[in-house]
Amino acid sequence: EVQLVESGGGLVQPGGSLRLSCAASGFTFSSYWMHWVRQAPGKGLVWVSRINSDGSSTSYADSVKGRFTISRDNAKNTLYLQMNSLRAEDTAVYYCARGVTYGDYFGKGTLVTVSS
Amino acid sequence: QSALTQPASVSGSPGQSITISCTGTSSDVGSYNLVSWYQQHPGKAPKLMIYEGSKRPSGVSNRFSGSKSGNTASLTISGLQAEDEADYYCCSYAGSSTYWVFGGGTKLTVL
């Protein structure tokens, strides 16, 4: 059974940093592209970033470019999102998702709250 | 890259059919047959319902179907059931810079 479990969310002050993790199991993690998608409270889904299967290629939404870094450790079956210079508008549930042109599995998400 | 346009809400009675539209541009929906649809119940993770425009993942009811014409994709749910009440999001592949662009979401109410 495919499982994606996010962790690392919490309350952080504006300008602070946080690293999210997504632990994958039930499939060959190193064979799949992965994405981060976020959802602000009461709002819709927004794509954040993606990484290819070996970690050699990444892309970011304009809203996070230069502040967020996606990475992966295929030996640990784990996806990461390093978030720096956090802003109030980054407050959201962050989901990891598997896939290239669509997400066939999403995790349950982890909540990031940016507030003083 | 702007979000795809969906109606904020639709409703229908049990047994009826409804259609949710998703309008993009020639840079996303119109350029690729790579629209996907997701169902999201409150507090839950998104669930893939349709991919590549009209394909259903294993386990998804055949009451769900997808189509596309030009820059507009559509999700049709036939034989509405109470458990279909949820938020629905369309998503299109949008190229190698902005990979996924989502619609704003549509709240389906089963009356």
Side-chain angles (χ1 to χ4, degrees), chain B residues 23-100:
Chain B
T23 301
T25 69
S26 57
S27 297
D28 39 61
V29 175
S31 283
Y32 310 97
N33 196 25
L34 293 171
V35 173
S36 50
W37 289 90
Y38 303 88
Q39 176 191 68
Q40 188 180 36
H41 287 107
K44 302 295 186 181
K47 175 187 176 184
L48 178 68
M49 306 302 286
I50 295 288
Y51 66 99
E52 294 177 359
S54 60
K55 299 177 181 178
R56 275 189 312 275
S58 174
V60 171
S61 170
N62 60 8
R63 297 186 298 105
F64 292 82
S65 61
S67 63
K68 191 191 89 165
S69 178
N71 295 339
T72 299
S74 298
L75 173 71
T76 297
I77 309 174
S78 59
L80 271 179
Q81 299 179 0
E83 58 261 38
D84 298 333
E85 185 162 294
D87 293 326
Y88 290 85
Y89 293 90
C90 63
C91 179
S92 177
Y93 174 72
S96 58
S97 178
T98 304
Y99 263 74
W100 294 349

Side-chain angles (χ1 to χ4, degrees), chain A residues 33-55:
Chain A
W33 290 34
M34 298 294 295
H35 298 250
W36 287 100
V37 173
R38 70 184 180 183
Q39 186 171 35
K43 302 297 184 181
L45 301 171
V46 176
W47 176 79
V48 173
S49 182
R50 69 91 193 166
I51 188 167
N52 69 347
S53 56
D54 67 6

Side-chain angles (χ1 to χ4, degrees), chain A residues 75-86:
Chain A
K76 295 183 177 180
N77 291 340
T78 303
L79 173 73
Y80 302 102
L81 186 67
Q82 177 67 44
M83 303 186 296
N84 298 331
S85 303
L86 282 162

Side-chain angles (χ1 to χ4, degrees), chain A residues 58-80:
Chain A
T58 60
S59 299
Y60 300 91
D62 287 344
S63 59
V64 307
K65 202 171 294 183
R67 300 188 299 123
F68 290 12
T69 302
I70 190 172
S71 63
R72 65 191 297 159
D73 186 335
N74 285 344
K76 295 183 177 180
N77 291 340
T78 303
L79 173 73
Y80 302 102

